[in-house]
Amino acid sequence: MSIFSWIRPRVQKPEHSVAGDVSPPRERRSPTNTRESPDERPSAQTSPAPPHLPSRPATEQHLESRNPESLDDQLRLLERAKAARGKNESIQAARQIDDPKLLADLTANSTHSEIAELFLDRIEDPGLLAMIAARAIDPRSRNLALKRLPPGAPMLSAARESLHADSGKAAVRRIEAPGDLAELACSATIRVVALAAISKLEDQELLAGVAERATDTVVAKGAVKRLHEQTLLARVAESAADPIVCRAAVKRLDDQELLGKVAAVAADPGVRGPALEKLTSQDSLASVCLHEQAEELRYRAVEKLDDPLSLASIARNDSSARVRAVAAGKIADKQLLADLATSCEYADTRRCCLRRVRDKHVLAQAAKSDSDRGIRKDAVWRLRNKATLADVAKNSAYGDARAAAVRKLSDRTLIMTVAVEDSDGAVRRAAVSRLDNQGLLCAIAARDPDWRVRKEAVNKLDAGAPLLEIAKNDEVADVREAAVAKIDDEALLANRAKWDKQACVRRAAVARLKEQKILANRAKNDDDPSVRCAAILRVEDTHLIANRAKYDEDSGVRITAIDRLEDVAALAELTGEAAPVGPAAAARIEKLTGAASESGRLKLNDNEPLPD
């Protein structure tokens, strides 16, 4: 049992009666003479224990082996001494206590230092003295107990369990063994005592142990401040449970190799980061970049890295696009940039490196073979050499790159060759957009298998007979529409306006027609409302327009006709119809009448005589 967990034993009073027998009560002792003489004390050897009480083993505590009656008196005296209002009364009661444990209890809990001065010499047990030195209320009592304590375990115990800074620090001053100081630093009840122990400790190994094991962060940091051995500081930075302590150790660490090790193996990223900030060794930084799991730390390491080969390795292999980008951005070697631009697995790294490459061969290789469309486009855009552009236009594996190169070509012969021979319609279309040879354009417009290429060729053709044939016979409406939009032949336009199967072609023909009879026919009879609207916009017959405004089955056609009507009476007939026709007619009347009123007002003002 620890001396600091000592508890006064519970008193079990003996029973003086058995069933059927009533013993007279014990006489009350005079309060002026409570101590029993040796003759009056019952002896455990001569007085057998009552038959109803079990016998006590010899190893039980001292107080429990005393006569219960005497123990009861001693405890009563202790309570009396504690409860006394005056110092003299407490001292008088204490003089009658002969048990060291009870005296120790009284001394520790008394506010009178005279108690310790008078009775401390009656306490010989180092454990009891240590308890008084650690916990006594009165400071003089603590100091007196401390002076009587022998060095060693009792002094260590007093310092460890001390509840008061003055006595705890005084105990520390009397402890010399480094092992005891280290143990005290880790286990002291109050922080001041632990810090005092650390201030006396010089052994670096023991200080490192305190930094690793102390549960109080302030104490552990105090041990770190006294550490100067770099290997031990690195050990603390790697293994201490508290990240704050680890960071404190890193701040005192200067050895680059050890900093690199901490930056690589410390469990907490919050510890690896500060180690990384102090790291300047290129090998250690490269190791962090290659093995660190946290992206942010790899990024910070790359920012401090200057070795081109390490940067190239990171730009090629790192899993983070952000880290790869900063690594690629720091590479200045042209060969490394060219290699990364053409062979890196990651498109973002290839693009970043290619933007810093000027070699036409590298750009051409990227334009011809890179799998990323954006990279191919950037490569072609940066090419200026005509021969290289021609090579890309003929030999790139990707049609978008060939098309981009064709748009930059100036070689007419090559453009015509591509327009006819390239297997990709988008490339032929890009070439056709650069052509001006009417014969070749006519041939392409008539025979190219891709309707988009034919339409591009039609847009480049001048008006003529080939357009008439295309407008009638091309199988794709978009091509016929493009041809119709470029011809002026009234007969062909009338034919297409009436008979083409697609509304877009009929609408394009109506938009170019001048023949009123055909326009009137289309305004009344075409199946598609958009064609009827296009015809109404070009017809001049007001009666037909009024008829369409009133009777067409499509509201959009009727509103188009209303917008062309100027007959207010005809419009008034439509105002009663449901929306949107009625409101459109009313708005048209308001517009016409407002314009007429403004015109009349202007004429009236013009006829007024000038003032004198």
Side-chain angles (χ1 to χ4, degrees), residues 6-9 62-63 66 70-79 81-82 94 96-109 115 119 123 128 131-132:
W6 173 71
I7 303 173
R8 284 175 291 172
H62 168 64
L63 287 176
R66 292 171 60 94
S70 174
L71 176 60
D72 186 54
D73 291 339
Q74 292 282 298
L75 292 173
R76 192 180 299 113
L77 285 169
L78 176 63
E79 295 299 329
K82 287 184 177 181
Q96 302 177 57
I97 300 174
D98 58 359
D99 189 281
K101 289 189 177 181
L102 298 183
L103 281 174
D105 188 343
L106 177 62
T107 304
N109 291 284
I115 297 291
F119 304 113
I123 303 173
L128 295 177
M131 183 272 290
I132 296 171

Side-chain angles (χ1 to χ4, degrees), residues 403 406-407 415 418-420 422-435 441 444 448 450-457 459-460:
V406 164
R407 293 188 185 98
I415 292 173
V418 172
V420 175
D422 199 280
S423 60
D424 191 315
V427 180
R428 297 198 303 275
R429 183 181 176 189
V432 167
S433 68
R434 304 289 312 282
L435 285 177
L441 286 171
I444 293 172
D448 197 280
D450 190 319
W451 68 268
R452 296 175 184 83
V453 179
R454 298 199 302 275
K455 182 178 178 180
E456 185 68 32
N459 290 333
K460 296 281 290 181

Side-chain angles (χ1 to χ4, degrees), residues 569-591:
L571 288 169
E573 294 179 7
L574 301 173
T575 54
E577 297 201 20
V581 174
R588 179 66 175 164
I589 291 173
E590 183 178 356
K591 182 177 180 180

Side-chain angles (χ1 to χ4, degrees), residues 397-447:
Y398 297 92
D400 58 276
R402 298 198 302 275
V406 164
R407 293 188 185 98
K408 297 184 70 175
L409 284 176
S410 58
D411 186 341
R412 299 297 178 186
T413 303
L414 180 58
I415 292 173
M416 289 189 290
T417 302
V418 172
V420 175
E421 297 179 358
D422 199 280
S423 60
D424 191 315
V427 180
R428 297 198 303 275
R429 183 181 176 189
V432 167
S433 68
R434 304 289 312 282
L435 285 177
D436 53 14
N437 186 309
Q438 292 294 305
L440 183 58
L441 286 171
C442 286
I444 293 172
R447 294 193 295 270

Side-chain angles (χ1 to χ4, degrees), residues 137-152:
I137 297 174
D138 181 67
R140 182 168 175 77
S141 299
R142 298 195 298 270
N143 290 335
L144 290 172
L146 198 60
K147 289 179 180 179
R148 294 198 60 201
L149 264 181

